[in-house]
């Protein structure tokens, strides 16, 4: 009786038995998110503002994009195997990082080391190797600097991962906050991207490089939503950072408590605990 009911339930809900091979439908990219790129003049005039940042790393492609939260325009840097200096300007990148407040998600441990390494070395294979060390070996930024002979320059930056309540991925937080679009990385990170034309669901033509760039935009928008919903938490960190004369912007509540108590003990005893 139980077996008959189970078979009827499976048939009714069209569940696929484990014995049957699953055949995935071919990937069809959706319509790209409309993007407006900031002009050189707009980038210079926007100094002092806030930019959301995110990176994508492949063996033959490195992408760094910034979203200006005021103008909603994009600043794009990229490195391809046929290196084009018009798409990558290290001097401009350094100026942006030092002239704006930047915001990311898991960026202190991942994006910032990748950005400052690419600032010094414009080699996709080396950048991908550093990315793999961070992801698979859990190597911390200080050790990366030492092992790979580069410097992560101090800038005004906010990493939201510790500020967020509980634990979760950027996609999970985006879902909780009703982001318009949530997307997983469309291509295997260990395979090179191709420029072969691909037809989108709306009939337009694109390629894997531009699809990854479009995916990156969706992550920037999700990070922006998260940033806007953490206004109260970030204001508290701004006030405490000013009061205790240390950067608490990217710390969790517990980390802030530890820093504040340590600071008070130092003030009372003259020694750090």
């Amino acid at each position: 009786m139980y077996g008959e009911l189970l078979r009827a339930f499976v048939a009714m809900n069209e569940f696929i038995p484990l014995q049957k091979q699953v055949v995935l439908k071919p990937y069809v990219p959706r319509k790209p998110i409309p993007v407006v790129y900031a002009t050189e003049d707009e980038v210079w005039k926007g100094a002092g503002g806030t930019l959301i940042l995110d990176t994508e790393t492949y063996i033959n492609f490195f992408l760094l994009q910034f979203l200006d939260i005021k103008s909603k325009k994009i600043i794009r840097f990229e490195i391809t195997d046929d290196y084009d200096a018009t798409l990558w300007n290290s001097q401009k990148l350094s100026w942006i990082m030092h002239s704006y407040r930047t915001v990311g998600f898991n960026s202190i441990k991942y994006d910032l080391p990748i950005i400052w390494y690419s600032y010094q070395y414009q080699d996709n294979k080396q950048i991908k190797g550093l990315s793999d060390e961070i992801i698979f070996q859990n190597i911390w930024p200080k050790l990366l600097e030492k092992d790979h002979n580069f410097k992560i320059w101090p800038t005004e930056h906010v990493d939201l991962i510790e500020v967020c309540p509980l634990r979760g991925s950027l996609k999970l937080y985006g879902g909780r906050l009703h982001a318009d679009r949530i997307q997983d990385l469309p291509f295997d990170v260990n395979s090179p991207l191709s420029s072969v034309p691909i037809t989108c669901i709306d009939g337009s033509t694109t390629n894997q490089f531009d699809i990854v760039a479009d995916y990156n935009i969706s992550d920037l928008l999700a990070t922006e939503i998260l940033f806007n919903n953490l206004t109260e938490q970030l204001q508290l960190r701004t006030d405490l950072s000013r009061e205790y004369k240390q950067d608490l912007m990217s710390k969790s509540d517990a980390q802030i408590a530890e820093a504040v108590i340590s600071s008070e003990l130092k003030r009372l005893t003259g020694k750090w605990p």
Side-chain angles (χ1 to χ4, degrees), residues 111-239:
D111 295 283
L112 293 187
I114 293 292
I115 288 169
W116 286 113
Y117 185 80
S118 64
Y119 164 75
Q120 190 164 337
Y121 305 105
Q122 290 83 54
D123 184 291
N124 282 316
K125 291 183 176 63
Q126 291 180 236
I127 297 170
K128 180 64 167 64
L130 186 79
S131 173
D132 288 348
E133 281 191 44
I134 297 171
I135 295 171
F136 300 113
Q137 300 180 40
N138 200 31
I139 307 297
W140 287 86
K142 286 295 181 184
L143 188 57
L144 291 171
E145 287 181 293
K146 180 181 178 182
D147 290 347
H148 295 277
N149 192 32
F150 75 104
K151 182 175 177 60
I152 302 171
W153 293 94
T155 60
E156 186 179 0
H157 182 78
V158 181
D159 187 346
L160 300 178
I161 193 168
E162 296 289 353
V163 183
C164 293
L166 305 176
R167 290 285 179 182
S169 67
L170 179 61
K171 274 73 173 176
L172 179 60
Y173 287 119
R176 290 172 178 170
L177 295 171
H178 306 288
D180 290 336
R181 175 169 163 177
I182 300 173
Q183 181 182 355
D184 213 347
L185 195 62
F187 307 113
D188 181 3
V189 294
N190 294 314
S191 299
L193 297 180
S194 170
S195 58
V196 174
I198 301 173
T199 302
C200 297
I201 197 168
D202 66 340
S204 61
T205 303
T206 185
N207 59 59
Q208 290 186 348
F209 293 93
D210 288 337
I211 292 171
V212 168
D214 184 59
Y215 160 80
N216 181 268
I217 296 292
S218 71
D219 273 3
L220 290 173
L221 295 174
T223 307
E224 181 190 24
I225 293 172
L226 190 55
F227 175 73
N228 290 335
N229 278 270
L230 291 169
T231 302
E232 184 178 341
Q233 293 90 331
L234 292 171
Q235 185 58 55
L236 173 63
R237 284 158 174 76
T238 299
D239 296 339

Side-chain angles (χ1 to χ4, degrees), residues 21-90:
Q21 184 178 4
V22 177
V23 179
L24 298 178
K25 294 181 180 178
Y27 172 69
V28 180
R30 69 182 79 187
K31 182 179 179 181
I33 299 171
V35 173
V36 178
Y37 292 101
T39 65
E40 293 290 321
D41 188 55
E42 288 171 331
V43 173
W44 307 136
K45 289 182 178 179
T50 299
L51 301 176
I52 309 293
L53 63 77
D54 192 32
T55 60
E56 308 300 338
T57 306
Y58 281 82
I59 197 169
N60 64 335
F61 184 55
F62 174 68
L63 176 70
L64 162 62
Q65 295 193 116
F66 298 93
L67 168 65
D68 189 315
I69 64 168
K70 184 176 180 180
S71 69
K72 309 303 179 185
K73 294 184 178 181
I74 298 295
I75 305 170
R76 176 168 171 167
F77 292 82
E78 66 179 74
I79 301 172
T80 55
D81 283 353
D82 52 341
Y83 178 75
D84 184 347
T86 63
L87 303 176
W88 185 272
N89 185 325
S90 291

Side-chain angles (χ1 to χ4, degrees), residues 240-242 244-249 251 259-260 263 272:
L240 291 173
S241 295
R242 187 180 298 114
Y244 290 97
K245 297 180 175 58
Q246 52 183 307
D247 185 5
L248 304 173
M249 295 302 299
K251 294 187 180 296
V260 168
S263 181
W272 288 104

